[in-house]
Amino acid sequence: MGCRVKSELKKIDATRRELFVSIPWEEVAAEYDAFLDKQAQKQIAGFRPGKTPHKLIEKQNSKALLTHFSTEVASHFFMAANKELALSPVGPVSIDQVTLAKGREFSFRVEFDVMPEFDLPELSAIDCSKAKDDNAKRDVISLYLLENTDFAPPKTLVEQEQMLSNDDRTAAEARVKLLLIFDAIAKRDGVEVDDRDVAERINEIAKSQELSAAELRKDIEAQGGIGRIRAFLIAESVLDYILEIQ
Protein backbone atom coordinates (compact mmCIF):
# COMPACT_ATOMS: atom_id res chain seq x y z
CA MET A 1 0.00 0.00 0.00
CA GLY A 2 1.09 3.60 -0.56
CA CYS A 3 2.63 5.52 2.32
CA ARG A 4 -0.44 7.80 2.46
CA VAL A 5 -2.85 4.90 2.88
CA LYS A 6 -4.08 4.58 6.46
CA SER A 7 -5.19 1.29 7.96
CA GLU A 8 -6.35 0.20 11.39
CA LEU A 9 -6.64 -3.47 12.33
CA LYS A 10 -8.91 -4.46 15.21
CA LYS A 11 -9.39 -7.80 16.94
CA ILE A 12 -13.05 -8.79 17.37
CA ASP A 13 -12.41 -12.21 18.93
CA ALA A 14 -9.88 -15.04 18.77
CA THR A 15 -10.19 -15.43 15.00
CA ARG A 16 -12.33 -12.51 13.79
CA ARG A 17 -10.68 -9.28 12.61
CA GLU A 18 -11.83 -6.00 11.09
CA LEU A 19 -9.66 -3.69 9.04
CA PHE A 20 -10.46 -0.02 8.40
CA VAL A 21 -8.76 1.52 5.37
CA SER A 22 -8.76 5.14 4.18
CA ILE A 23 -7.08 6.23 0.95
CA PRO A 24 -6.54 9.74 -0.48
CA TRP A 25 -8.19 10.20 -3.89
CA GLU A 26 -4.78 10.76 -5.48
CA GLU A 27 -3.91 7.14 -4.65
CA VAL A 28 -6.88 5.77 -6.60
CA ALA A 29 -7.25 8.38 -9.37
CA ALA A 30 -5.14 6.42 -11.87
CA GLU A 31 -7.13 3.25 -11.19
CA TYR A 32 -10.37 5.19 -11.64
CA ASP A 33 -9.23 6.50 -15.03
CA ALA A 34 -8.23 2.98 -16.08
CA PHE A 35 -11.64 1.74 -14.92
CA LEU A 36 -13.37 4.38 -17.07
CA ASP A 37 -11.20 3.38 -20.03
CA LYS A 38 -12.46 -0.17 -19.60
CA GLN A 39 -16.06 1.04 -19.46
CA ALA A 40 -15.46 3.09 -22.64
CA GLN A 41 -14.77 -0.14 -24.53
CA LYS A 42 -18.46 -1.00 -24.28
CA GLN A 43 -20.66 -0.01 -27.19
CA ILE A 44 -22.45 3.29 -26.54
CA ALA A 45 -24.68 4.85 -29.18
CA GLY A 46 -22.85 7.50 -31.20
CA PHE A 47 -19.33 6.46 -30.21
CA ARG A 48 -16.86 3.86 -31.36
CA PRO A 49 -15.66 1.41 -28.67
CA GLY A 50 -13.01 3.10 -26.53
CA LYS A 51 -13.91 6.61 -27.71
CA THR A 52 -16.73 7.49 -25.31
CA PRO A 53 -15.73 10.54 -23.21
CA HIS A 54 -15.22 9.81 -19.52
CA LYS A 55 -17.58 12.62 -18.52
CA LEU A 56 -20.42 11.08 -20.51
CA ILE A 57 -19.84 7.65 -18.94
CA GLU A 58 -19.88 9.23 -15.48
CA LYS A 59 -23.03 11.23 -16.23
CA GLN A 60 -24.97 8.22 -17.49
CA ASN A 61 -23.88 5.75 -14.83
CA SER A 62 -22.51 7.75 -11.90
CA LYS A 63 -23.91 5.76 -8.97
CA ALA A 64 -23.52 2.33 -10.56
CA LEU A 65 -19.99 3.18 -11.71
CA LEU A 66 -18.85 4.27 -8.27
CA THR A 67 -20.36 1.15 -6.71
CA HIS A 68 -18.65 -1.11 -9.22
CA PHE A 69 -15.34 0.72 -8.98
CA SER A 70 -15.38 0.84 -5.17
CA THR A 71 -15.80 -2.95 -5.03
CA GLU A 72 -12.84 -3.49 -7.36
CA VAL A 73 -10.51 -1.01 -5.69
CA ALA A 74 -11.43 -2.10 -2.15
CA SER A 75 -10.57 -5.70 -3.07
CA HIS A 76 -7.28 -4.51 -4.58
CA PHE A 77 -6.24 -2.52 -1.52
CA PHE A 78 -7.32 -5.29 0.84
CA MET A 79 -5.07 -7.71 -1.05
CA ALA A 80 -2.21 -5.22 -0.66
CA ALA A 81 -2.95 -4.84 3.05
CA ASN A 82 -3.16 -8.60 3.39
CA LYS A 83 0.38 -8.93 2.01
CA GLU A 84 1.85 -5.98 3.91
CA LEU A 85 0.28 -6.82 7.28
CA ALA A 86 0.55 -10.63 6.86
CA LEU A 87 -3.16 -11.01 7.65
CA SER A 88 -3.63 -14.51 6.17
CA PRO A 89 -7.46 -14.42 6.00
CA VAL A 90 -9.39 -17.70 5.82
CA GLY A 91 -12.91 -18.17 4.53
CA PRO A 92 -15.30 -15.50 3.20
CA VAL A 93 -14.28 -11.83 3.34
CA SER A 94 -16.89 -9.10 3.87
CA ILE A 95 -16.29 -5.56 2.57
CA ASP A 96 -18.69 -2.85 3.72
CA GLN A 97 -18.95 0.75 4.97
CA VAL A 98 -17.60 1.84 1.58
CA THR A 99 -17.38 5.60 1.11
CA LEU A 100 -16.37 6.83 -2.32
CA ALA A 101 -16.94 10.14 -4.09
CA LYS A 102 -14.74 11.37 -6.92
CA GLY A 103 -12.03 13.68 -5.61
CA ARG A 104 -12.57 12.71 -1.97
CA GLU A 105 -11.01 10.21 0.41
CA PHE A 106 -11.96 6.59 -0.22
CA SER A 107 -12.60 4.41 2.81
CA PHE A 108 -13.98 0.98 3.60
CA ARG A 109 -14.12 -1.73 6.26
CA VAL A 110 -13.21 -5.39 5.85
CA GLU A 111 -14.28 -8.13 8.23
CA PHE A 112 -12.66 -11.54 8.00
CA ASP A 113 -11.38 -14.55 9.91
CA VAL A 114 -7.75 -15.49 10.42
CA MET A 115 -6.19 -18.85 11.06
CA PRO A 116 -6.63 -19.67 14.77
CA GLU A 117 -3.48 -20.14 16.80
CA PHE A 118 -2.98 -23.59 18.27
CA ASP A 119 -0.27 -26.10 19.14
CA LEU A 120 -0.06 -29.28 17.11
CA PRO A 121 0.16 -32.58 19.01
CA GLU A 122 3.09 -34.94 18.59
CA LEU A 123 2.55 -37.06 15.50
CA SER A 124 4.91 -39.69 16.88
CA ALA A 125 2.39 -40.40 19.66
CA ILE A 126 -0.26 -41.65 17.25
CA ASP A 127 -0.83 -45.38 17.73
CA CYS A 128 -2.29 -47.13 14.71
CA SER A 129 -1.15 -50.62 15.73
CA LYS A 130 -4.68 -51.94 16.26
CA ALA A 131 -6.08 -50.57 13.01
CA LYS A 132 -6.84 -53.27 10.44
CA ASP A 133 -6.10 -51.31 7.26
CA ASP A 134 -5.05 -47.88 5.98
CA ASN A 135 -8.61 -46.53 6.08
CA ALA A 136 -8.90 -47.48 9.75
CA LYS A 137 -5.50 -45.92 10.39
CA ARG A 138 -6.66 -42.66 8.80
CA ASP A 139 -9.66 -42.68 11.17
CA VAL A 140 -7.37 -43.20 14.16
CA ILE A 141 -5.11 -40.33 13.03
CA SER A 142 -8.03 -37.97 12.47
CA LEU A 143 -9.59 -38.76 15.86
CA TYR A 144 -6.24 -38.32 17.61
CA LEU A 145 -5.70 -34.92 16.01
CA LEU A 146 -9.22 -33.74 16.89
CA GLU A 147 -8.95 -34.88 20.51
CA ASN A 148 -5.48 -33.48 21.09
CA THR A 149 -5.70 -30.07 19.40
CA ASP A 150 -7.50 -27.37 21.37
CA PHE A 151 -9.10 -24.47 19.49
CA ALA A 152 -12.45 -23.30 18.17
CA PRO A 153 -12.69 -23.00 14.36
CA PRO A 154 -13.93 -19.71 12.88
CA LYS A 155 -17.73 -19.52 12.81
CA THR A 156 -17.88 -18.32 9.21
CA LEU A 157 -15.93 -21.36 8.02
CA VAL A 158 -18.25 -23.65 9.94
CA GLU A 159 -21.31 -21.93 8.45
CA GLN A 160 -19.81 -22.16 4.95
CA GLU A 161 -19.10 -25.88 5.45
CA GLN A 162 -22.68 -26.44 6.64
CA MET A 163 -23.99 -24.76 3.50
CA LEU A 164 -21.75 -26.79 1.17
CA SER A 165 -22.14 -30.16 2.90
CA ASN A 166 -25.68 -29.92 4.34
CA ASP A 167 -24.30 -31.43 7.57
CA ASP A 168 -25.34 -30.38 11.07
CA ARG A 169 -23.21 -27.85 12.93
CA THR A 170 -21.38 -30.43 15.07
CA ALA A 171 -20.21 -32.41 12.05
CA ALA A 172 -19.31 -29.26 10.09
CA GLU A 173 -17.34 -27.85 13.03
CA ALA A 174 -15.36 -31.07 13.47
CA ARG A 175 -14.57 -31.22 9.75
CA VAL A 176 -13.43 -27.57 9.59
CA LYS A 177 -11.28 -28.04 12.68
CA LEU A 178 -9.67 -31.15 11.24
CA LEU A 179 -9.03 -29.49 7.87
CA LEU A 180 -7.33 -26.56 9.62
CA ILE A 181 -5.15 -28.98 11.59
CA PHE A 182 -4.14 -30.78 8.39
CA ASP A 183 -3.36 -27.42 6.78
CA ALA A 184 -1.13 -26.43 9.72
CA ILE A 185 0.75 -29.74 9.52
CA ALA A 186 1.15 -29.32 5.75
CA LYS A 187 2.64 -25.84 6.16
CA ARG A 188 4.95 -26.91 8.96
CA ASP A 189 6.21 -30.11 7.31
CA GLY A 190 6.21 -29.02 3.68
CA VAL A 191 3.33 -31.12 2.35
CA GLU A 192 2.17 -29.37 -0.82
CA VAL A 193 -0.88 -29.33 -3.08
CA ASP A 194 -0.82 -27.16 -6.21
CA ASP A 195 -3.31 -25.92 -8.82
CA ARG A 196 -2.63 -28.93 -11.03
CA ASP A 197 -3.77 -31.25 -8.23
CA VAL A 198 -6.98 -29.27 -7.86
CA ALA A 199 -7.61 -29.32 -11.63
CA GLU A 200 -6.97 -33.07 -11.74
CA ARG A 201 -9.46 -33.71 -8.94
CA ILE A 202 -12.11 -31.61 -10.67
CA ASN A 203 -11.51 -33.56 -13.88
CA GLU A 204 -11.94 -36.83 -11.96
CA ILE A 205 -15.23 -35.66 -10.45
CA ALA A 206 -16.47 -34.41 -13.81
CA LYS A 207 -15.62 -37.70 -15.48
CA SER A 208 -17.36 -39.76 -12.79
CA GLN A 209 -20.50 -37.63 -13.15
CA GLU A 210 -20.27 -37.38 -16.95
CA LEU A 211 -20.00 -33.60 -16.83
CA SER A 212 -17.86 -31.00 -18.55
CA ALA A 213 -14.82 -30.24 -16.39
CA ALA A 214 -14.96 -26.56 -17.38
CA GLU A 215 -18.64 -26.23 -16.46
CA LEU A 216 -18.13 -28.13 -13.21
CA ARG A 217 -15.25 -25.88 -12.23
CA LYS A 218 -17.37 -22.83 -13.01
CA ASP A 219 -20.13 -24.14 -10.73
CA ILE A 220 -17.67 -24.98 -7.96
CA GLU A 221 -16.08 -21.52 -8.16
CA ALA A 222 -19.52 -19.88 -8.02
CA GLN A 223 -20.19 -21.70 -4.75
CA GLY A 224 -16.77 -20.86 -3.32
CA GLY A 225 -15.81 -24.52 -3.34
CA ILE A 226 -12.33 -24.47 -4.89
CA GLY A 227 -10.74 -23.83 -1.51
CA ARG A 228 -12.70 -26.74 -0.07
CA ILE A 229 -11.38 -29.11 -2.74
CA ARG A 230 -7.84 -27.91 -2.04
CA ALA A 231 -8.38 -28.41 1.69
CA PHE A 232 -9.53 -32.00 1.17
CA LEU A 233 -6.54 -32.71 -1.08
CA ILE A 234 -4.24 -31.33 1.62
CA ALA A 235 -5.98 -33.56 4.16
CA GLU A 236 -5.45 -36.64 1.99
CA SER A 237 -1.79 -35.75 1.42
CA VAL A 238 -1.14 -35.14 5.12
CA LEU A 239 -2.79 -38.42 6.07
CA ASP A 240 -0.56 -40.23 3.56
CA TYR A 241 2.44 -38.37 4.99
CA ILE A 242 1.61 -39.37 8.57
CA LEU A 243 1.15 -42.99 7.52
CA GLU A 244 4.58 -42.89 5.86
CA ILE A 245 6.36 -41.65 9.00
CA GLN A 246 4.58 -44.04 11.36
Side-chain angles (χ1 to χ4, degrees):
M1 294 189 296
C3 60
R4 300 175 62 194
V5 177
K6 299 177 183 178
S7 62
E8 181 183 7
L9 182 65
K10 291 185 177 182
K11 182 177 180 180
I12 298 176
D13 59 30
T15 61
R16 197 70 174 165
R17 302 288 185 272
E18 62 179 354
L19 178 70
F20 295 90
V21 180
S22 57
I23 309 162
W25 176 256
E26 293 78 11
E27 293 285 334
V28 299
E31 290 192 46
Y32 182 69
D33 286 338
F35 175 78
L36 290 179
D37 287 339
K38 189 190 300 183
Q39 298 302 310
Q41 295 300 320
K42 299 177 181 178
Q43 187 67 48
I44 296 180
F47 297 93
R48 287 179 291 126
K51 298 299 181 180
T52 308
H54 285 185
K55 288 185 178 181
L56 179 59
I57 297 173
E58 291 175 313
K59 183 178 180 180
Q60 291 183 347
N61 309 280
S62 58
K63 187 175 181 179
L65 276 176
L66 287 175
T67 299
H68 189 181
F69 174 70
S70 64
T71 301
E72 285 194 7
V73 77
S75 298
H76 167 75
F77 275 95
F78 175 63
M79 290 173 63
N82 175 27
K83 184 176 181 180
E84 185 173 312
L85 301 175
L87 300 176
S88 300
V90 294
V93 171
S94 171
I95 298 177
D96 59 16
Q97 297 183 24
V98 178
T99 302
L100 177 63
K102 186 178 179 181
R104 298 182 182 180
E105 184 177 76
F106 172 50
S107 64
F108 60 94
R109 185 188 79 107
V110 189
E111 190 170 327
F112 57 96
D113 285 311
V114 296
M115 185 77 165
E117 296 181 358
F118 54 86
D119 295 321
L120 290 169
E122 287 293 333
L123 300 183
S124 59
I126 301 174
D127 182 9
C128 295
S129 60
K130 296 181 180 180
K132 296 180 179 180
D133 54 34
D134 282 352
N135 286 333
K137 289 179 181 179
R138 288 182 171 85
D139 290 340
V140 170
I141 293 168
S142 296
L143 184 59
Y144 171 84
L145 292 174
L146 279 174
E147 292 180 343
N148 291 277
T149 312
D150 184 24
F151 72 94
K155 292 179 182 179
T156 53
L157 289 184
V158 175
E159 291 167 358
Q160 184 183 47
E161 178 61 24
Q162 277 187 280
M163 180 185 69
L164 293 171
S165 66
N166 292 318
D167 282 335
D168 62 34
R169 188 171 186 85
T170 300
E173 187 171 320
R175 187 177 299 111
V176 169
K177 182 177 180 180
L178 190 56
L179 290 174
L180 291 175
I181 295 169
F182 285 136
D183 187 65
I185 295 172
K187 289 176 179 176
R188 185 193 67 181
D189 295 0
V191 180
E192 297 182 350
V193 168
D194 59 27
D195 292 341
R196 289 173 298 179
D197 298 316
V198 173
E200 185 175 335
R201 177 55 55 88
I202 291 174
N203 288 339
E204 290 173 359
I205 297 171
K207 186 175 181 179
S208 68
Q209 298 180 4
E210 298 183 348
L211 299 171
S212 159
E215 288 299 319
L216 178 61
R217 185 181 185 98
K218 185 178 179 180
D219 290 342
I220 293 172
E221 288 176 342
Q223 297 176 40
I226 294 294
R228 188 169 185 260
I229 289 179
R230 185 183 298 275
F232 277 105
L233 286 171
I234 290 173
E236 293 172 14
S237 298
V238 170
L239 283 168
D240 289 341
Y241 161 71
I242 294 174
L243 285 174
E244 288 177 6
I245 64 175
Q246 281 286 296

